[in-house]
Amino acid sequence: MDIVCLDMEGVLVPEIWIAFAEKSGIPELKRTTRDEPDYDKLMRWRLGILRERGLGLKEIQDVIDQIDPLPGAKDFLDKLRARTQAIVLSDTFTQFAMPLMKKLGYPTLFCNELVVGADGMIEDFKMRVENSKLSTVKALQSIGFNTIALGDSFNDLGMIQAGKVGFLFRSTEQIKKDYPHIPAYEEYDELYAAIEAALQ
């Protein structure tokens, strides 16, 4: 039994924090897991900036409502889900992801939760499990699944390298250079063909 585990931001939808950085005029919030491998450090830094600026969940959700999936992403995902089981594994949060999941036809999503105060300010975040992507892949393997994983960032590398086969999709030149053994693709058709070959 095969199952595909795929990242969300950068693979299916634009990076939420980059979109919010552009809309809010706070360029430092463009920093993502492509730049900072330590997700806990990255999120605590982001929350500090939001507190300083008095920005809460609503302001971020207003931007997310205007984000559409990447061109071709829904068709790719629909085709993939018609062929095999697929789970979107993301380090984002339910409060951010659900509007985007609606636009993608509600695929299965495993992500995390924000802790939001009565005033709408984001106070903290709860990770589902440590190293959630790799931990999930290992758990799926422990119940008989062969995993095929794909993503674009540092926090995807564990799950990409742990399974039957893994791919980089629209990753950075630095990550592709540092991990030349991982096949890298830029277009959904190429990626789907590689997944199809791995499923044989």
Side-chain angles (χ1 to χ4, degrees):
M1 287 282 293
D2 292 307
I3 191 165
V4 177
C5 299
L6 60 160
D7 180 37
M8 184 181 84
E9 292 179 74
V11 173
L12 297 173
V13 303
E15 293 279 352
I16 291 168
W17 286 98
I18 290 177
F20 183 68
E22 290 171 352
K23 202 76 175 173
S24 64
I26 307 172
E28 54 264 45
L29 285 176
K30 288 186 178 181
R31 190 168 177 78
T32 72
T33 51
R34 289 178 170 215
D35 312 298
E36 174 53 70
D38 186 332
Y39 190 74
D40 185 78
K41 178 179 174 184
L42 178 62
M43 271 306 300
R44 298 207 177 281
W45 178 76
R46 287 168 169 166
L47 294 187
I49 292 172
L50 293 178
R51 275 192 292 271
E52 285 172 17
R53 304 289 184 110
L55 297 168
L57 179 60
K58 183 184 183 308
E59 287 79 11
I60 299 173
Q61 287 178 327
D62 286 346
V63 172
I64 292 169
D65 283 342
Q66 300 170 40
I67 296 174
D68 287 320
L70 293 168
K74 187 175 186 304
D75 289 343
F76 163 75
L77 192 56
D78 288 346
K79 189 175 177 182
L80 179 63
R81 291 166 68 199
R83 175 68 175 85
T84 190
Q85 297 296 310
I87 299 176
V88 179
L89 299 182
S90 177
D91 281 337
T92 193
F93 307 94
T94 303
Q95 294 95 329
F96 289 178
M98 290 318 291
L100 296 166
M101 292 301 99
K102 181 178 181 181
K103 293 178 182 180
L104 287 167
Y106 290 111
T108 300
L109 168 71
F110 292 178
C111 65
N112 306 299
E113 291 283 332
L114 292 170
V115 179
V116 183
D119 58 358
M121 299 301 289
I122 302 170
E123 296 176 351
D124 203 354
F125 57 96
K126 291 182 183 176
M127 301 301 282
R128 184 171 49 81
V129 65
E130 191 174 341
N131 296 320
S132 63
K133 295 179 183 185
L134 178 58
S135 297
T136 301
V137 160
K138 287 183 174 178
L140 290 166
Q141 291 167 352
S142 77
I143 56 172
F145 284 100
N146 294 313
T147 59
I148 297 168
L150 58 112
D152 68 326
S153 296
F154 284 110
N155 64 337
D156 301 314
L157 292 169
M159 72 170 180
I160 287 171
Q161 296 182 98
K164 173 182 176 181
V165 67
F167 308 106
L168 290 168
F169 185 66
R170 298 181 181 172
S171 189
T172 65
E173 291 306 315
Q174 188 61 53
I175 290 175
K176 288 188 282 188
K177 181 182 173 186
D178 291 346
Y179 297 86
H181 59 286
I182 302 175
Y185 299 99
E186 297 297 318
E187 301 300 330
Y188 290 114
D189 288 348
E190 297 174 327
L191 179 61
Y192 183 82
I195 294 170
E196 179 65 41
L199 290 168
Q200 302 302 321

